[in-house]
Every structure is written in structure tokens, then in C-alpha cells.
Amino acid sequence: MDYAKEAYLLYLRQNGVIYRMYENFGRFSPSYTVSNEHLSEAMAVLKPKGKSVLTVAASGDQAFYYKIYGASYVDTFDISYCAQIIMNVKTAAIQNLNYSRYKGFLDSIKYNSNDIMYVHEYPKISASVPDETKRFLSVMCGQKYRFGFGYNLNVPTAAQYKKLRARVSEPFNFIWSDVMSLSGHLTRKYDQIYLSNIFQYNYDEKTNIQLIQDLLPSLNDGGEIMFFVTPFFRSYEQDSLRVVAKALERFVQMRIEKTRNQQYVIVKKVINYSNLSRR
């Protein structure tokens, strides 16, 4: 069975449950059309210039902002295939549309209920949309594979868009995996692994300890795993993080950095991790 047909059958079988994203993170959960993260703020903390990165795919904006701010290499992953669909479509738009038309295209897919294939600018970008993505759009026509929320804070400026067009020449490599299985799919090492707000949905210390341990071998020495948490860090979140930090203190250094709207937990791999892990 191909993934597009599987998505369609899943939608029918669940009879609308796929609409409720927070109850159904899975293989075809709807993707945001534009990210709700404060990504320009995030980049001030992440400092990606010259770094190789693995980031959650989400709406594609995380990968785009990493490239805007100078990451040398970017791979993406997500539990939902719909994230790749949105990311591929927006990548094709970046490759083919000037800044004004790109903003218009984002407005069309954010605020209109029409399927992406039927928005005004789609014929101008379709030649650059991968064939598998086109098939998904066709099969899922009329189904809920995306959320149309409009978070204008992540529409790039004209100067940012100029950098983006110069640095994004092809679709991003995409790893279709949930976060706990992610390490088994990785074939290279990164300077940063960005997990977005995954921590917000899981405060089980054993699970988070295992997640970090599994990802450490895929980091270069001094590399970092990074995720954001709510600006109002609650007591049980702090307690959970302290347990994780204590359990991994021989292998990582953990800190929190704050921006105006968010907080970031940064897990830095110690330089001598390899020697420690063999003891």
C-alpha cells in the first residue's frame, strides 16, 4: 500500500478523529501550515551558523529558518508524513516565487479552505513539487492533512527570503519517524538536534532519559539537543528536568536559556562522552 492511499483510508477509518491533532499524533496527523514558534528568537539561542542540523519538520519553517541563519546542512524528521507535504510545497514555492508572490501563496494556503493544488500560485510551482507529494495532494483532496492557522510572526522578511532562496535549492531530506525511534534511522552525526516542543508532551523522566541517551551517539563532540518549553515553566516540568539532568550528568551539561516569549532547554554532549559511555 502506498502512503497516500494509507493516509486516505486512515482518515475514513477514524471518521474525523484525525482532525483532533492533540489526541492523535501519528503517521498522518495534520501539519501546521505556518509554525507557531517564535523562530527568529529561537535562532538567537540556537546560533546555527555553519552547523549541521537535524530538526523536526513540522511546517517546514524550522528548516527554513535554520538555513536563513546559516546552518551548513539540514535534515528533517517528523512522526507525521503531512509535515513533509507542507515542507515540500513551501520549498517549491520558495524556489519559484518572488517575495511578494510567496507571501500571497502563504496567505492562500493559510486562510483558504481550498486544497493546495487549487490555490492561485500552485501552477507556477507544481513542476518543482516532488511526484510523491503531488500524489498525496491528489488523494487527500478534501481531507484534513493540514491546519490553516496564520502565524504571521514566521513569515520571513524580504531580506530573510533573499537568503532563503539562495540557500534552499532542493527538498530537504526527510526521516519519517517518531522521536523515540529516531536514533535507529540516523546515518550521520549532527552539531544540533532540535526537538521543538516535544518535551511539553512528555514528562516521563525514564522516557526522556532514554531519548537523550539514544540520540547522543548521533551528535558530534560538543553537539547539542535542544527543545523549547513554555515561558511559564511549571514546577512539575522543573522537577522532571532536574531528574533527567541528574541521571545524565556524566554525559551531558544541561542549561536553560530564555527569550522574550520562550525558554529553551539545551543538552550539550560532553567532549569525552565516548570514553564515559564505555565504562
Side-chain angles (χ1 to χ4, degrees):
M1 181 185 298
D2 65 65
Y3 66 88
K5 186 175 181 181
E6 182 182 352
Y8 182 70
L9 293 178
L10 177 68
Y11 175 87
L12 295 179
R13 184 167 65 247
Q14 295 185 337
N15 194 28
V17 173
I18 200 169
Y19 278 80
R20 299 195 292 275
M21 185 178 186
Y22 297 109
E23 298 176 12
N24 189 46
F25 281 112
R27 289 169 59 81
F28 300 103
S29 296
S31 173
Y32 285 114
T33 302
V34 179
S35 176
N36 63 347
E37 295 185 38
H38 294 263
L39 289 171
S40 289
E41 287 186 15
M43 293 301 140
V45 173
L46 302 177
K47 299 179 176 63
K49 187 174 182 179
K51 295 178 179 178
S52 60
V53 173
L54 172 66
T55 178
V56 64
S59 63
D61 292 317
Q62 287 81 353
F64 297 154
Y65 272 78
Y66 261 114
K67 294 302 287 186
I68 289 169
Y69 282 82
S72 61
Y73 181 88
V74 179
D75 280 341
T76 66
F77 79 94
D78 210 284
I79 189 174
S80 173
Y81 198 86
C82 299
Q84 187 188 32
I85 299 303
I86 297 299
M87 183 169 63
N88 283 352
V89 168
K90 290 166 68 175
T91 297
I94 290 163
Q95 293 168 335
N96 290 277
L97 302 178
N98 63 27
Y99 181 56
S100 177
R101 285 186 168 181
Y102 180 74
K103 289 198 300 179
F105 179 73
L106 284 186
D107 285 342
S108 295
I109 64 175
K110 282 189 298 183
Y111 300 121
N112 295 346
S113 60
N114 293 335
D115 284 287
I116 289 176
M117 290 190 302
Y118 300 109
V119 301
H120 175 66
E121 297 285 2
Y122 184 79
K124 299 181 180 67
I125 73 170
S126 61
S128 299
V129 175
D131 288 342
E132 290 185 347
T133 297
K134 290 178 183 176
R135 171 158 168 72
F136 186 97
L137 294 173
S138 177
V139 170
M140 293 297 286
C141 181
Q143 315 306 331
K144 192 74 172 181
Y145 58 86
R146 64 190 176 92
F147 290 116
F149 303 143
Y151 294 103
N152 289 325
L153 71 163
N154 288 311
V155 175
T157 65
Q160 288 175 330
Y161 191 69
K162 183 177 181 180
K163 293 179 180 178
L164 188 57
R165 292 199 73 187
R167 296 170 183 174
V168 176
S169 58
E170 59 185 5
F172 291 94
N173 178 47
F174 177 76
I175 301 166
W176 191 8
S177 175
D178 66 278
V179 71
M180 294 307 299
S181 303
L182 179 60
S183 61
H185 298 279
L186 303 182
T187 59
R188 63 174 295 158
K189 291 189 175 184
Y190 303 93
D191 298 314
Q192 286 187 6
I193 298 176
Y194 184 56
L195 301 182
S196 187
N197 63 340
I198 288 173
F199 183 78
Q200 285 186 258
Y201 297 94
N202 177 36
Y203 298 106
D204 177 72
E205 291 87 3
K206 290 183 179 179
T207 300
N208 285 315
I209 290 167
Q210 188 64 55
L211 169 62
I212 292 171
Q213 284 182 322
D214 289 346
L215 290 175
L216 285 178
S218 297
L219 282 177
N220 293 318
D221 286 344
E224 297 171 322
I225 300 169
M226 313 171 99
F227 49 90
F228 81 78
V229 293
T230 57
F232 308 105
F233 211 28
R234 292 157 288 197
S235 59
Y236 67 90
E237 296 171 320
Q238 294 172 348
D239 292 343
S240 178
L241 192 60
R242 278 193 287 266
V243 171
V244 174
K246 180 65 177 176
L248 296 172
E249 61 183 350
R250 293 174 60 235
F251 309 114
V252 304
Q253 299 170 344
M254 296 181 68
R255 70 184 191 275
I256 295 177
E257 292 195 19
K258 298 181 179 180
T259 66
R260 180 178 179 181
N261 294 286
Q262 294 173 172
Q263 296 187 92
Y264 294 85
V265 178
I266 301 171
V267 182
K268 184 174 183 178
K269 179 180 177 180
V270 298
I271 300 300
N272 58 345
Y273 165 78
S274 297
N275 292 331
L276 287 171
S277 62
R278 286 196 290 266
R279 292 178 184 174

